Amino acid sequence: MSIVSRVARNPIAYGILAVVVLVGIFSTLSIVPETRQAVIVRFGQPDRIVNRYEPGVPFGSGSAGLMAHIPFVEQVVWIDRRIQNVEMERQQVLSTDQLRLQVDAFARYRIVDPLQMYISARTEERVSEALRPILASSLRNELGRRPFAALLSPERGQVMDNIQESLNLAARQYGAEIVDVRIKRADLPEGQPLESAYERMRSARRQEALTIRAQGAKQAQIIRAEAEAEAARTYAEAFGADPDFYDFYRAMISYRSTFGVTGNNADQGEAAIVMSPDNEYLRQFRGQR
Amino acid sequence: MTLFFPERVPIKRAMSVLTGLGARLGAIFNSEGRGPWGGRGSGGSNGNSSGGGGDDDGPKNPWSQPPRKRPSGGQTGPTALDDLLKRGRSQWGGSDGRGPNLPTFGGRPIWFWAIIILVLLWLFFTSFHLIGPQERGVLTRFGNYQGTFEPGVSLSWPAPIDRVQVIDVDNIRTIDIGGGGENAENRVLTGDQNIVDLAYQIRWNIKEPQNYLFQISDPDTTIREVAESAMRAVMARITLDEAIGSGRAEAEQRVQVLMQELLDGYGAGVLVQGVAIEEADPPAAVEEAFREVSAAQQTAQTYLNDARAFAQQLTAQAQGEAAAFTRVYEEYRLAPEVTRRRMYYETMEQVLGRVNITIVENDGVTTYLPLQEVQRQARQQATPAPQTGETP
């Protein structure tokens, strides 16, 4: 009852007291989340760092949590602890074989030295802004030293490593560490380069089409020839039994065909045959013995 | 903390506190405007009721009526006012004895209870966490990661101390890249320096919620960019034909593996469930040439079909003729001379029965006569009369 009633009797005074205490608490204590690092600056002089990023330390074991600092004397500067993204604007890159390429790349970095970062850049945005042109120039340098095909080969990994290395040198000045550099897109620029690439693709396809057609024709011819050979063999096997009889047999078929008996060329029946009486057919006709 | 208002505070005591507060307010008012109340106090009574209305739910003007609870008080307004003052002053003095005797006036307990209930609700809702089966709760104490709540009911400290972020981890999220329509070709260079128009979808979910929350500043964008980068890296290793056709499944697999590698490298806490290439087409500008190829394939197929048909025909014919010859020959061998002669005469019958035959005795002269011409002319003149000129 005593505290409560005292408060009840003198609410304004206690209210003011409560506000003062709360303001005091809020200006003294800060919550440092896992996603941020805090640089505490005393009279403009960086004093200490809370929840600094250490590689390999799992969440929960860092110094995130409640943090006390002297109000008005010490100032807290918040710096992101997470991996940041810096995206480069589209760059036109000229390879050694004079091919133009439009490249989109991105880099990921993390601020590992908040103090250095606070001194040299103050905010994350300025770190990104500072890294962007460096990323672009090192990309141009690195790709400009290689042929176009290298970009599309396993060598690309080496290119990226080189870029990351040179970018890391610059990033260290800002207390940042490059986690990864990657090419997002590498395209042929619109217009003539793209058109000529298309034309090359078209001609490749035309060539393929012609090849396919020719191959088809070749196959077809082979099939026909094989069939003919097969037929010839079949004929030879059968007719080879008695060539003399075959001669006779085939001649008979041939006569019928030629003189329009088996064929449907009825109007050709006007063939005329001049026979000598010595003809074999007329042997009996003459009554010879 | 001060927010921890003990639930066990005796109700009566709390009420007395509140009534005391009301009385004090009345006293303050009174000390300021004593003058008007001395008389009829029309304005004053209004003012008083507005000032201390909260502590009196019965009569509208308590000073003009006898207080029911305190019969010992004066009958007239000023006396009641004095009594009120006295009461207020005694409260200021801190004599507890009166508290329980004081009536519970309507207004105060309500807002008092409201606060109690709010605090209880606050405690309840920020301490108990119901985590659904597909969810996880990430617990942070003053921002420091403490652990992850599994599905079920979990208990934590109330809100300012502990904070629980509930994240749906099993929900499979999708990212679609490319396939935006005619004008938005997602052109990707393949290993043989060709261009393919790709549309694909990434399916992912959250593997480690704390990493997802704390590790990367913009995880969703990161996943998208990693997907694009990985897809292009994989496409740069395969040819256009593979990208369009046979190599798709393998490419999907490799993109998934590469993405997972990269994201694990960042510690993103994300699991790539799958990559699906929905479309892998040649760009619209060269599609005509690609159609030509498939047309050529059809043509080649046609050639082959025709050739096979011919081959079938030829083989069958050969087999037929050979079989016929063999049959006849078998018969012929039984009686060669007779069969030969018979066949000869039969054939001759058929052949000579339809042609004009001229038999010339002396072949020395007549061969030179234009017999055929003569016959033809004769026939033409006789047309359409029956051909009488024919002589056997």
Side-chain angles (χ1 to χ4, degrees):
Chain A
M1 174 86 186
S2 60
I3 298 169
V4 175
S5 63
R6 235 180 281 152
V7 170
R9 262 175 235 141
N10 211 348
I12 295 171
Y14 279 99
I16 288 168
L17 187 69
V19 168
V20 168
V21 167
L22 279 177
V23 167
I25 288 174
F26 282 125
S27 56
T28 310
L29 295 178
S30 305
I31 288 177
V32 184
E34 291 282 4
T35 54
R36 284 165 150 191
Q37 346 189 33
V39 176
I40 288 128
V41 184
R42 182 180 291 167
F43 293 126
Q45 192 71 33
D47 184 59
R48 60 187 187 278
I49 299 159
V50 177
N51 200 24
R52 181 178 176 162
Y53 174 77
E54 301 284 348
V57 174
F59 293 115
S61 341
S63 51
L66 274 185
M67 169 195 77
H69 62 101
I70 308 164
F72 311 115
V73 174
E74 290 179 337
Q75 224 184 328
V76 181
V77 177
W78 296 105
I79 289 166
D80 209 309
R81 196 171 182 256
R82 298 173 294 183
I83 293 177
Q84 305 288 310
N85 184 26
V86 50
E87 212 154 328
M88 194 191 68
E89 276 178 37
R90 281 202 137 194
Q91 288 290 321
Q92 199 160 80
V93 176
L94 195 64
S95 64
T96 46
D97 43 358
Q98 301 302 306
L99 272 166
R100 277 173 205 287
L101 208 59
Q102 273 190 328
V103 180
D104 269 353
F106 63 83
R108 299 193 178 278
Y109 69 93
R110 194 200 295 269
I111 290 153
V112 292
D113 189 351
L115 202 60
Q116 178 70 31
M117 181 266 188
Y118 174 69
I119 292 166
S120 56
R122 301 264 159 168
T123 62
E124 292 96 350
E125 286 77 39
R126 284 172 66 178
V127 176
S128 293
E129 267 164 39
L131 289 180
R132 201 166 288 138
I134 302 170
L135 173 62
S137 71
S138 58
L139 191 81
R140 265 200 308 270
N141 282 345
E142 200 57 45
L143 295 183
R145 274 193 278 149
R146 282 158 203 277
F148 173 67
L151 254 187
L152 301 172
S153 69
E155 229 181 294
R156 179 168 164 160
Q158 181 62 41
V159 176
M160 292 292 100
D161 288 349
N162 289 353
I163 294 172
Q164 183 170 347
E165 211 169 280
S166 59
L167 191 58
N168 225 347
L169 279 179
R172 223 163 278 152
Q173 297 166 3
Y174 296 98
E177 187 187 68
I178 304 296
V179 179
D180 193 15
V181 179
R182 294 197 67 81
I183 290 180
K184 197 166 72 173
R185 316 178 57 138
D187 287 336
L188 294 168
E190 298 271 347
Q192 209 255 325
L194 192 63
E195 266 316 307
S196 52
Y198 283 161
E199 191 46 48
R200 183 170 47 72
M201 286 174 78
R202 277 190 212 109
S203 60
R205 293 295 135 178
R206 276 198 293 272
Q207 178 203 336
E208 194 185 337
L210 286 175
T211 311
I212 288 171
R213 240 180 241 129
Q215 284 293 328
K218 186 187 94 180
Q219 288 295 330
Q221 207 141 7
I222 289 171
I223 288 171
R224 272 172 224 267
E226 273 172 359
E228 269 162 17
E230 169 82 21
R233 206 182 67 236
T234 312
Y235 284 135
E237 264 171 26
F239 302 154
D242 189 344
D244 182 48
F245 177 65
Y246 172 69
D247 182 38
F248 168 73
Y249 175 82
R250 190 67 185 84
M252 292 303 113
I253 294 174
S254 187
Y255 291 157
R256 285 189 220 192
S257 173
T258 311
F259 296 112
V261 178
T262 50
N264 53 357
N265 42 357
D267 58 325
Q268 285 177 10
E270 59 195 66
I273 292 177
V274 177
M275 269 186 185
S276 145
D278 302 333
N279 192 292
E280 172 70 14
Y281 184 64
L282 298 177
R283 196 157 46 89
Q284 303 297 336
F285 191 67
R286 288 175 121 197
Q288 279 177 356
R289 289 249 148 217
Chain B
M1 311 281 268
T2 49
L3 281 169
F4 267 100
F5 203 89
E7 304 167 40
R8 283 170 291 132
V9 171
I11 293 164
K12 281 189 176 175
R13 195 195 280 183
M15 283 172 178
S16 72
V17 169
L18 293 163
T19 50
L21 190 67
R24 181 191 47 77
L25 283 169
I28 290 167
F29 194 91
N30 200 0
S31 65
E32 282 170 359
R34 192 180 182 90
W37 293 346
R40 293 179 10 256
S42 63
S45 64
N46 285 338
N48 195 15
S49 67
S50 68
D55 59 338
D56 221 340
D57 65 338
K60 278 182 182 169
N61 197 347
W63 291 272
S64 59
Q65 284 178 14
R68 287 166 295 178
K69 307 287 162 49
R70 301 202 48 149
S72 63
Q75 298 287 319
T76 56
T79 337
L81 190 64
D82 282 343
D83 179 62
L84 191 71
L85 268 173
K86 217 189 290 172
R87 197 171 58 186
R89 272 173 191 148
S90 68
Q91 287 288 335
W92 277 113
S95 68
D96 294 357
R98 294 197 189 202
N101 295 331
L102 283 171
T104 54
F105 295 123
R108 282 174 189 160
I110 288 175
W111 67 257
F112 169 74
W113 279 112
I115 285 178
I116 294 278
I117 287 169
L118 277 177
V119 169
L120 285 176
L121 282 176
W122 171 262
L123 288 175
F124 180 79
F125 280 112
T126 59
S127 305
F128 287 93
H129 306 281
L130 185 63
I131 314 286
Q134 75 286 2
E135 293 170 338
R136 297 290 180 278
V138 176
L139 172 67
T140 49
R141 183 160 300 156
F142 292 124
N144 192 324
Y145 172 66
Q146 295 293 308
T148 304
F149 286 147
E150 294 295 310
V153 177
S154 303
L155 204 61
S156 73
W157 288 96
I161 304 169
D162 279 0
R163 187 168 169 231
V164 174
Q165 283 168 277
V166 176
I167 289 193
D168 193 341
V169 293
D170 286 347
N171 180 23
I172 302 223
R173 293 134 217 248
T174 55
I175 299 174
D176 287 296
I177 297 171
E182 283 293 309
N183 300 322
E185 277 191 339
N186 182 27
R187 290 192 283 259
V188 179
L189 273 169
T190 59
D192 48 0
Q193 302 192 14
N194 286 320
I195 297 161
V196 63
D197 180 19
L198 271 188
Y200 51 99
Q201 189 183 55
I202 312 293
R203 297 188 313 282
W204 60 278
N205 68 341
I206 295 167
K207 185 167 60 170
E208 292 142 349
Q210 73 274 19
N211 282 356
Y212 179 73
L213 283 180
F214 304 141
Q215 194 71 265
I216 294 180
S217 62
D218 188 355
D220 295 24
T221 312
T222 300
I223 294 165
R224 187 184 187 88
E225 284 179 350
V226 164
E228 254 186 279
S229 174
M231 179 56 86
R232 280 161 190 275
V234 167
M235 281 294 155
R237 306 278 158 82
I238 63 176
T239 64
L240 176 66
D241 289 339
E242 282 171 330
I244 296 175
S246 57
R248 265 202 214 189
E250 203 199 325
E252 286 171 354
Q253 196 65 36
R254 278 159 70 178
V255 170
Q256 186 180 348
V257 170
L258 184 55
M259 275 188 76
Q260 191 65 58
E261 244 170 56
L262 289 170
L263 289 169
D264 284 350
Y266 301 155
V270 165
L271 184 66
V272 181
Q273 291 284 355
V275 178
I277 297 177
E278 286 158 345
E279 270 175 45
D281 297 328
V286 295
E287 224 173 331
E288 194 54 45
F290 277 77
R291 284 209 201 98
E292 222 172 88
V293 172
S294 58
Q297 280 164 345
Q298 300 298 325
T299 311
Q301 200 57 47
T302 310
Y303 287 163
L304 288 183
N305 288 343
D306 286 351
R308 284 199 196 97
F310 169 79
Q312 288 294 331
Q313 207 182 348
L314 197 68
T315 313
Q317 192 188 349
Q319 281 166 350
E321 279 180 25
F325 175 80
T326 310
R327 275 298 140 68
V328 173
Y329 179 62
E330 275 164 13
E331 298 307 316
Y332 163 77
R333 263 182 18 200
L334 298 177
E337 196 51 40
V338 174
T339 311
R340 198 186 180 106
R341 213 129 270 285
R342 176 184 61 78
M343 285 172 77
Y344 177 73
Y345 285 127
E346 275 175 12
T347 305
M348 284 302 134
E349 245 170 55
Q350 286 172 6
V351 169
L352 298 178
R354 294 188 56 167
V355 296
N356 306 318
I357 302 169
T358 310
I359 301 170
V360 181
E361 278 293 332
N362 191 345
D363 50 355
V365 180
T366 44
T367 358
Y368 296 101
L369 284 173
L371 274 171
Q372 287 182 351
E373 286 305 309
V374 171
Q375 284 170 350
R376 194 166 291 153
Q377 279 168 12
R379 206 170 337 140
Q380 277 168 359
Q381 285 163 6
T383 309
Q387 294 176 359
T388 49
E390 287 179 53
T391 43

